[in-house]
Amino acid sequence: MLEFVLVVIVLLIALAVLGGVAISMARAGEGTPPLPKLDRLRAALPVRLDPAGSPAQAAPAGGVTGGAGGTRAVEVELRGLREDHRAAAQGLEAAVARLETRVEQAQRRAGAEFESALMGALDGLRRDLEATRTRHDAALERLHGELHGALSRPMSDAGLAPQRERRAEATAELYGRLARFEAAIAAVTNPVLLPGEPYTPPAELLPEALAWEHWKDVGERAFAFAEYFNAHRIDLAAPAARDAAAFLTALRELLTHDLYPNLRPNPSPEQLQTVRTALERLAQDLPVLRGRLEADYRRLLRPDGGGA
């Protein structure tokens, strides 16, 4: 728009100059010098006409570029700046992508190492648990053999009655099965206990103690104790039979209501407390029945012991 206004102004000035020259020539008559040629006039004007008749701006003095040429230079410079910015942004995005890839790879490596270490620790705990259970079983077998050996010698020497002999054998066998059940509970929940130590719940339950598959031996030992008691109840002394029956009823309720339903990998605080309370109840009931059976057995071994 500005270029068009300049062209119009220049054309008006040129027309004014031509009109003044024409008026001067008319007044001067024959002696007036001739009009300058049109080519020299065009060369003198700041705006010249191209052959098609459209105005074209002449280059300003001093070599300073303006108008459309300056605009094109600015556009070229801006286009170069945009290209530089786009290239820098693409390089930054590529660097961020490479950094994210490295972080993900490091996280995967760390996770794999942690999982491997955890599985190794769990395998070690399982091996320790199996070794402890094997030691408990071996110790109980030795105890059972010693009890039978001690039972057979006094009875043959003292000539005990067959009824007392059956009662002593039943008491010793039931005592051994109760001891094996106690050892199974200890192997699952507190494997640091040695054979012969009274059962006590641990200060903190390990994850293995809450895994259902590790309680299979506990259920089998409890069933073996109950099965033998049911078959030899008549051979026991009346107080021992009553205590064993009461213990079995309490044991069934603890296993089916408090322990088994709450065995899971991530128990709630209430479920964990229920399991701990049940184990504390077992720790109280086991020595009571074990003491009753031991006292009956030792009394039956005495030559003057009788036994109702």
Side-chain angles (χ1 to χ4, degrees):
M1 184 65 182
L2 181 60
E3 294 179 357
F4 178 74
V5 172
L6 290 176
V7 170
V8 171
I9 293 173
V10 171
L11 289 176
L12 291 176
I13 293 173
L15 291 176
V17 171
L18 290 175
V21 171
I23 293 172
S24 299
M25 291 179 63
R27 289 179 179 177
E30 293 293 334
T32 303
L35 292 174
K37 292 184 178 180
L38 183 58
D39 293 337
R40 289 192 300 178
L41 181 60
R42 287 176 177 172
L45 293 177
V47 176
R48 64 181 181 272
L49 296 176
D50 58 11
S54 60
Q57 185 176 354
V64 178
T65 304
T71 302
R72 285 193 297 272
V74 172
E75 290 179 352
V76 170
E77 185 174 359
L78 288 176
R79 189 179 299 111
L81 290 175
R82 292 193 189 97
E83 294 296 333
D84 293 341
H85 176 72
R86 186 179 297 107
Q90 291 176 352
L92 182 59
E93 291 177 357
V96 171
R98 290 193 298 270
L99 181 60
E100 290 177 348
T101 302
R102 292 178 181 176
V103 170
E104 292 177 357
Q105 293 174 351
Q107 290 176 345
R108 285 195 296 269
R109 287 195 300 270
E113 293 174 357
F114 176 76
E115 184 178 358
S116 177
L118 180 60
M119 293 303 297
L122 290 177
D123 290 340
L125 288 174
R126 292 191 184 98
R127 288 193 296 270
D128 293 342
L129 180 62
E130 292 297 330
T132 302
R133 182 177 299 173
T134 301
R135 290 195 301 269
H136 283 184
D137 290 341
L140 288 172
E141 291 298 331
R142 288 195 302 269
L143 177 61
H144 189 265
E146 292 173 0
L147 286 174
H148 275 287
L151 180 65
S152 61
R153 287 193 299 271
M155 286 186 176
S156 60
D157 295 341
L160 297 179
Q163 183 181 1
R164 289 178 59 192
E165 183 177 352
R166 289 195 307 271
R167 181 168 295 175
E169 289 178 353
T171 303
E173 180 64 26
L174 196 64
Y175 182 93
R177 296 193 180 217
L178 180 66
R180 285 191 285 273
F181 168 76
E182 184 175 6
I185 286 287
V188 174
T189 61
N190 198 2
V192 298
L193 294 176
L194 293 175
E197 288 188 277
Y199 172 73
T200 56
E204 183 178 357
L205 290 172
L206 296 175
E208 287 75 14
L210 301 173
W212 171 262
E213 59 271 15
H214 295 158
W215 284 75
K216 180 181 179 182
D217 192 46
V218 174
E220 292 177 352
R221 298 291 175 86
F223 185 82
F225 175 84
E227 185 179 33
Y228 187 86
F229 169 73
N230 185 52
H232 297 83
R233 183 197 302 255
I234 195 172
D235 294 328
L236 299 174
R242 287 194 299 267
D243 289 349
F247 174 80
L248 280 175
T249 301
L251 177 61
R252 175 181 53 79
E253 293 177 354
L254 288 176
L255 291 176
T256 58
H257 294 154
D258 298 333
L259 290 174
Y260 289 162
N262 296 303
L263 297 178
R264 56 194 64 199
N266 296 308
S268 65
E270 293 78 8
Q271 292 170 333
L272 195 61
Q273 183 59 41
T274 300
V275 172
R276 179 172 296 278
T277 301
L279 294 178
E280 291 173 353
R281 173 70 183 279
L282 279 175
Q284 295 174 0
D285 293 346
L286 282 168
V288 173
L289 182 58
R290 185 173 59 245
R292 165 69 72 179
L293 295 174
E294 184 178 357
D296 284 357
Y297 178 78
R298 294 187 184 279
R299 179 176 53 81
L300 289 169
L301 290 183
R302 294 197 306 264
D304 59 344

